Amino acid sequence: MRHRHVDALDALQRAAILPRDDSFAFKAIFAATKVPGVARRATSLLNPFS
């Protein structure tokens, strides 16, 4: 069973809105979306009173 977000990504790639999933640009886009979460977790670990 495929998930809906995978179908949405596939549609965007087929429409040439997103690059192919094996391209550097695609990997960079999705790596960049991880940065805010990592920063938030690091901040909460470094400041236990917040």
Side-chain angles (χ1 to χ4, degrees):
M1 181 174 144
R2 293 183 66 183
H3 299 284
R4 288 183 186 258
H5 68 279
V6 174
D7 292 336
L9 289 177
D10 186 44
L12 291 170
Q13 288 172 332
R14 288 176 189 250
I17 296 170
L18 281 178
R20 293 177 36 186
D21 58 349
D22 60 348
S23 70
F24 175 77
F26 186 84
K27 291 175 185 176
I29 290 168
F30 280 90
T33 63
K34 294 179 184 178
V35 172
V38 170
R40 193 176 313 115
R41 283 190 295 275
T43 302
S44 67
L45 288 173
L46 294 173
N47 189 1
F49 300 109
S50 63

